[in-house]
Amino acid sequence: MGVPERRACAALGQHRSTQRKAPRGRDDEERLTADTIELARRYGRYGYRKVAALLRSTAGWVVNDKRVERIWRREGLKVPPRQPKRGRMWLADGSCVRLRPERPNHVWSYDFVEDRTHDGRKFRMLNVIDEFTHECLAIRVGRRLKAADVIDLLSDLSILRGVPAHIRSDNGPEFVSKAVQKWIAAVGAKTAYIAPGSPWENGYVESFNARLRDELLKGEIFYSLREAQVVIESWRRHYNGVRPHASLGFKPPAPEVFVPAFAARSSGSPRPLASAPTRH
């Protein structure tokens, strides 16, 4: 027609970019988007980096974080807020008071978490983690957990995994009881009690407790103690074997299955998504 493109677009009220070649999306974009949304729905407190790690490890996608981030933002998925930073105690010479784990079984830490079943009755969870590997070694669930239960759980774990060098805890009555201290000394371990009113000194287990409450307890209704035991143990296995940990390079601390890199499927034929922890 001999009319300049600029003038024709202005007359029709169209942007000039509409006259360019429309970009073609990848053939697998729709499937990747669906898998991303499904993982974001299933694990509502995970950000796009953890979701990208799950896509690679559990669904067989060969995809980088940037592509997942573009899908994440395009679909309006919400990134969980960051956890607040905690300070640490320092000596006058600049050295840190805090005992740092150097190897597996070097430092275990444990703490109690409380919740309620649907009938309003309280129950307690005794959480034990290995600070070096970040693995949750056990979660004991009961209406009442006392010093005898602490000793019983530590005995079982020591038989299965060996005796740790140090056991870190706060100054709760179950942890400072003479019976617990005597048992720890008898097996050759050492106690590492934090200063009163300084939970940041027990940061590993405090962080784990926050993940447990945020990712599980706040979203579940337990109708019985037995149901709580089954669901919490299922989540613990997922936490150790599937859940990506940012501090471990977005890998789980104790992966259930090792998949060699050459066995990963191409993005065109992803595996089905791994099942999430379910109620029994």
Side-chain angles (χ1 to χ4, degrees):
M1 296 175 59
V3 180
E5 179 186 282
R6 187 186 301 274
R7 181 178 296 180
C9 289
L12 295 175
Q14 294 182 352
H15 196 274
R16 292 178 64 196
S17 63
T18 60
Q19 307 305 309
R20 305 295 186 268
K21 183 178 179 180
R24 292 183 57 189
R26 300 189 184 183
D27 295 337
D28 59 358
E29 187 75 6
E30 186 175 346
R31 295 197 305 277
L32 178 59
T33 300
D35 281 1
T36 301
I37 294 174
E38 170 61 20
L39 286 172
R41 182 197 63 78
R42 186 181 301 172
Y43 308 112
R45 303 301 297 172
Y46 289 5
Y48 74 88
R49 291 185 179 88
K50 282 190 173 67
V51 169
L54 285 175
L55 286 169
R56 291 189 290 267
S57 63
T58 65
W61 286 95
V62 180
V63 61
N64 58 29
D65 291 357
K66 291 184 177 180
R67 186 180 176 193
V68 176
E69 182 184 13
R70 287 196 296 270
I71 296 173
W72 188 272
R73 296 185 183 279
R74 186 186 68 212
E75 298 299 325
L77 301 174
K78 187 177 180 180
V79 178
R82 294 182 179 179
Q83 294 295 320
K85 294 183 179 180
R86 294 185 175 93
R88 295 186 176 180
M89 295 185 65
W90 299 86
L91 296 175
D93 61 358
S95 60
C96 188
V97 176
R98 196 168 178 275
L99 173 67
R100 294 179 181 273
E102 299 175 355
R103 61 186 182 277
N105 259 19
H106 181 210
V107 183
W108 290 0
S109 58
Y110 53 7
D111 196 12
F112 284 107
V113 174
E114 287 190 354
D115 201 9
R116 294 177 183 268
T117 49
H118 186 61
D119 56 8
R121 298 176 61 193
K122 287 185 179 180
F123 66 88
R124 306 185 81 189
M125 290 155 278
L126 175 57
N127 305 329
V128 185
I129 67 168
D130 186 312
E131 293 190 357
F132 184 82
T133 63
H134 297 197
E135 181 181 1
C136 176
L137 305 180
I139 302 179
R140 175 157 296 188
V141 182
R143 292 292 182 188
R144 295 181 180 180
L145 296 176
K146 299 182 178 181
D149 299 290
V150 174
I151 295 174
D152 183 54
L153 181 57
L154 290 178
S155 299
D156 292 343
L157 291 175
S158 296
I159 293 172
L160 291 173
R161 297 175 174 269
V163 177
H166 301 271
I167 302 178
R168 194 197 311 271
S169 71
D170 59 24
N171 295 272
E174 301 87 357
F175 302 139
V176 300
S177 71
K178 292 183 178 180
V180 171
Q181 294 189 40
K182 183 178 179 180
W183 183 90
I184 292 176
V187 298
K190 297 180 180 179
T191 57
Y193 294 114
I194 67 174
S198 303
W200 55 84
E201 291 187 38
N202 204 11
Y204 288 95
V205 75
E206 291 289 348
S207 177
F208 173 81
N209 293 344
R211 302 284 80 72
L212 171 63
R213 190 169 296 281
D214 186 46
E215 296 177 10
L216 179 69
L217 300 181
K218 288 184 178 180
E220 292 284 347
I221 298 176
F222 302 114
Y223 290 95
S224 67
L225 181 64
R226 180 55 182 164
E227 181 185 20
Q229 292 171 339
V230 171
V231 174
I232 291 171
E233 176 61 19
S234 177
W235 181 86
R236 185 188 73 87
R237 294 176 181 272
H238 169 81
Y239 179 90
N240 287 337
V242 178
R243 181 188 185 276
H245 291 235
S247 58
L248 300 177
F250 292 96
K251 297 178 181 179
E256 296 176 348
V257 179
F258 173 74
V259 180
F262 61 81
R265 300 187 180 184
S266 64
S267 59
S269 56
R271 298 193 304 271
L273 292 174
S275 59
T278 56
R279 290 170 170 265
H280 296 280

